Amino acid sequence: MARYIFITGGVVSSLGKGLASAALGALLQARGYSVRLRKLDPYLNVDPGTMSPFEHGEVFVTDDGAETDLDLGHYERFTGVAGRGTDTVSSGRIYTNVLEKERRGDYLGKTIQVVPHVTNEIKDFLRIGDDEVDFMLCEIGGTVGDIEGLPFFEAIRQFAHERPRGECIFMHLTLLPYLNASGELKTKPTQHSVKELQSIGIAPDVLVCRSEHPIPVKEREKLALFCNVRPESVIAAYDLPSIYDAPLAYHKEGLDQAVLDAFGIKPAPKPKLATWEDVSDRVHNPDGEVKVAIVGKYTQLEDAYKSIAEALTHGGMSNRVKVKVEWVDAELFEREDPAPYLEGFNAILVPGGFGERGTEGKIKAAQFAREHKVPYLGICLGMQMAVIEAARNLAGVSDAGSEEFDHEAGKKRFTPVVYHLKEWVEGNRTIKREETDDKGGTMRLGAYNATLTEGSQVAEIYGSTSISERHRHRYEVDIKYREDLEAKGLKFSGMSPDGRLPEIVEVPDHPWYIGVQFHPELKSKPFEPHPLFREFVKAAVEQSRLV
């Protein structure tokens, strides 16, 4: 049976609970324990897959096809443990499950209440897979005291009460504001946050305090006294130059030891931190710098491309260079020549997305990269834009486009080289979709296999002709244009195992020009960079030497 660590937040909601959870998971792994990280989101009442990135940031996709919160991306990057659909739950999912059970008659006609029905549903979620790992880290989204979170806090209170003593602890993250006028850290907000937590029956065992300044011994002792925790369990969380410093920084502050002490685990195995020391060294001691342009339409909110930004950082680590990312609004190129904006970059990346807005600019970015021999990586929609660009400018299909844009506009304007995917094979079954289907969870989602062409650039990059990557899309490149496009130099070097769906295109007569229908960024980790990002950054390094 797993030991449970419940991670809550106070004062403000954006306290980096996800990062603290991920770093703690990495530290427990370094001591030889197995971990799984869970996210409970009281605020999310809808499917993350239907939300605009402006609303909720990136949608992270797991191997089993779940569309989740971007915190699961942090968990995977820091622990290497592949996320699952059962690693996250929203209030919307909890209430939906309760209502479905009521309609089936599972409650035998009883009046449905928050306690016990909703709280029991949350507890059932917490128990999933608890016999698989040593520690289950469960982050409760948001802030203690908010009305949305009350059923979740009540559920974890009950859960800890029902388990044997010593199997559950609570870790609370708060902010210590610094007042410049008086030159002091204020502990009152933390005291009140803990008081709010105690009022609903939860007492923190470990206190993690975000602070821009060192926390004096006097303030630590005050927090320990008034928040009823041991002085050594008051952990400082300072701002860091890189998120990948977090495991070492938290270890230095004693977070993992405080957690093990709270469980009474003595003596605890010593941590092996060589991997994270190497990661930190690669982040802070690069041998050079490359500039990469990300041409997208969600550039105002960088969290929309969180995994891509981190995967580029990982690619930089593997090549011992710093990757300087600049976000370029694709709509800009619909009005202006892209050359003056893109000439200073060593590589260009066009990410995924939905809708027509900005796509003509992305097509121009793909054209610039192809014609000027600049390394190019197109992901999902970025691959489709590269195919449309090649169809227009190489294969003579001047009105090439995507059915997605015609569906959005409500009229036919393009010759569709990209079409709505209505049928595909998943394992031993065939999945069918219609254009009128619900938007959430109806795409080609999760891990699918692909077969690479022997001798192709991507087969060399992967070191294999058989790969598995995560997908999230409902439109696909039409294979009927393959012969014409390959005759003009755009090779289809990766296909689905049945040969029906294009997975990868590349331009052999180019230093590095690759488009992929899947999302390789979702599987990249600092200690195991994804091969495509590793080689993309390597190509950018070589390009920088030519300039």
Side-chain angles (χ1 to χ4, degrees):
M1 296 285 274
R3 293 181 171 95
Y4 280 78
I5 304 168
F6 293 107
I7 299 143
T8 60
V11 184
V12 293
S13 59
S14 182
L15 284 170
K17 292 194 298 298
L19 180 58
S21 305
L24 176 57
L27 289 173
L28 292 172
Q29 281 184 325
R31 290 179 180 266
Y33 297 109
S34 59
V35 301
R36 181 161 287 282
L37 296 107
R38 290 263 164 86
K39 174 69 180 287
L40 295 85
D41 196 335
Y43 299 89
L44 194 58
N45 297 307
V46 298
D47 183 344
T50 64
M51 296 184 70
S52 164
F54 288 123
E55 292 284 334
H56 203 62
E58 171 189 77
V59 175
F60 190 81
V61 179
T62 60
D63 280 337
D64 58 4
E67 294 175 291
T68 74
D69 185 276
L70 56 80
D71 276 340
L72 257 67
H74 276 313
Y75 300 165
E76 278 205 30
R77 282 187 283 273
F78 277 77
T79 66
V81 177
R84 301 188 298 215
T86 51
D87 287 338
T88 182
V89 73
S90 65
S91 59
R93 173 49 53 196
I94 292 294
Y95 283 104
T96 297
N97 289 349
V98 170
L99 291 172
E100 288 174 349
K101 287 182 178 181
E102 192 277 333
R103 298 308 294 164
R104 287 199 306 264
D106 291 8
Y107 301 128
L108 302 176
K110 291 181 180 178
T111 301
I112 305 306
Q113 297 176 292
V114 172
V115 180
H117 301 99
V118 172
T119 52
N120 284 348
E121 190 68 28
I122 296 169
K123 289 187 288 184
D124 288 344
F125 164 77
L126 291 171
R127 295 187 187 98
I128 297 172
D130 74 348
D131 58 345
E132 301 173 0
V133 293
D134 299 316
F135 289 96
M136 195 77 79
L137 286 75
C138 302
E139 177 200 341
I140 317 301
T143 306
V144 61
D146 285 356
I147 192 169
E148 294 92 341
L150 291 177
F152 287 81
F153 284 103
E154 172 61 17
I156 63 174
R157 184 199 67 78
Q158 292 179 17
F159 188 89
H161 178 72
E162 293 163 3
R163 303 280 286 202
R165 187 181 297 274
E167 286 195 3
C168 299
I169 70 166
F170 295 92
M171 187 172 105
H172 192 53
L173 278 80
T174 67
L175 176 69
L176 294 184
Y178 181 80
L179 299 184
N180 285 314
S182 59
E184 61 180 336
L185 287 169
K186 302 302 292 183
T187 64
K188 276 297 180 194
T190 296
Q191 293 178 46
H192 282 283
S193 180
V194 171
K195 184 178 180 181
E196 183 74 31
L197 200 60
Q198 291 171 334
S199 72
I200 55 179
I202 296 173
D205 301 280
V206 178
L207 204 56
V208 178
C209 302
R210 285 288 305 272
S211 175
E212 297 177 359
H213 298 270
I215 305 175
V217 173
K218 179 183 175 183
E219 269 63 34
R220 287 178 186 257
E221 291 175 346
K222 183 190 294 185
L223 286 166
L225 177 64
F226 290 109
C227 297
N228 201 32
V229 299
R230 295 179 179 276
E232 59 270 21
S233 295
V234 178
I235 308 299
Y238 301 120
D239 292 345
L240 300 169
S242 165
I243 62 171
Y244 299 113
D245 291 327
L248 295 179
Y250 275 122
H251 175 68
K252 183 180 178 181
E253 286 295 320
L255 175 61
D256 48 331
Q257 189 61 54
V259 166
L260 294 172
D261 288 346
F263 281 113
I265 299 174
K266 294 179 182 180
K270 292 188 179 298
K272 297 177 181 178
L273 298 170
T275 297
W276 288 104
E277 289 167 351
D278 179 60
V279 166
S280 184
D281 179 61
R282 288 176 179 272
V283 168
H284 295 296
N285 298 293
D287 294 332
E289 180 180 284
V290 294
K291 291 179 65 179
V292 176
I294 297 181
V295 182
K297 69 174 184 177
Y298 305 121
T299 52
Q300 300 97 317
L301 182 67
E302 294 181 11
D303 271 358
Y305 302 122
K306 188 64 176 174
S307 289
I308 287 177
E310 296 308 321
L312 285 170
T313 299
H314 307 160
M317 291 180 193
S318 65
N319 288 280
R320 281 278 181 183
V321 295
K322 178 182 179 181
V323 179
K324 185 178 180 182
V325 173
E326 291 193 22
W327 311 88
V328 182
D329 189 343
E331 289 185 274
L332 182 66
F333 300 154
E334 296 182 355
R335 304 183 299 270
E336 301 183 40
D337 180 7
Y341 296 93
L342 297 178
E343 283 173 346
F345 291 99
N346 308 124
I348 298 168
L349 188 151
V350 175
F354 295 89
E356 186 175 3
R357 183 171 65 83
T359 53
E360 291 299 323
K362 294 178 181 181
I363 291 169
K364 287 185 178 179
Q367 181 180 2
F368 176 89
R370 181 179 59 80
E371 293 178 347
H372 291 79
K373 306 293 185 182
V374 178
Y376 175 87
L377 176 57
I379 296 174
C380 197
L381 184 66
M383 167 184 161
Q384 296 172 8
M385 297 301 96
V387 172
I388 290 173
E389 188 278 321
R392 289 181 183 180
N393 299 316
L394 297 178
V397 187
S398 60
D399 62 345
S402 170
E403 271 191 350
E404 178 180 7
F405 311 149
D406 281 347
H407 293 158
E408 188 178 355
K411 58 184 178 181
K412 183 171 176 18
R413 298 166 297 157
F414 298 110
T415 296
V417 298
V418 176
Y419 70 101
H420 183 269
L421 185 59
K422 297 179 177 63
E423 183 177 306
W424 67 90
V425 176
E426 180 182 343
N428 296 322
R429 63 190 183 122
T430 299
I431 306 295
K432 294 185 178 182
R433 292 283 184 257
E434 299 297 332
E435 295 163 22
T436 54
D437 285 349
D438 293 341
K439 295 298 182 186
T442 57
M443 292 178 278
R444 188 178 179 217
L445 287 164
Y448 288 87
N449 295 329
T451 302
L452 310 185
T453 304
E454 191 82 45
S456 64
Q457 186 177 8
V458 288
E460 183 179 335
I461 288 171
Y462 277 97
S464 173
T465 56
S466 180
I467 63 171
S468 175
E469 294 284 1
R470 297 178 189 175
H471 294 66
R472 183 177 183 256
H473 62 100
R474 60 171 60 89
Y475 290 85
E476 185 83 43
V477 172
D478 196 333
I479 196 169
K480 74 180 182 181
Y481 294 95
R482 177 177 183 175
E483 187 175 329
D484 290 343
L485 288 167
E486 290 198 325
K488 297 298 182 180
L490 185 71
K491 302 298 182 183
F492 286 55
S493 54
M495 299 292 296
S496 60
D498 61 6
R500 296 171 60 189
L501 304 177
E503 294 279 10
I504 306 176
V505 296
E506 63 181 61
V507 177
D509 185 26
H510 191 285
W512 211 96
Y513 191 98
I514 293 174
V516 297
Q517 185 58 70
F518 47 81
H519 289 269
E521 71 275 13
L522 299 178
K523 296 178 71 172
S524 188
K525 305 168 188 69
F527 42 82
E528 189 184 344
H530 192 283
L532 282 173
F533 281 90
R534 180 192 67 219
E535 296 303 312
F536 178 57
V537 174
K538 183 179 179 181
V541 172
E542 293 170 358
Q543 181 76 10
S544 70
R545 293 169 182 158
L546 299 176
V547 177

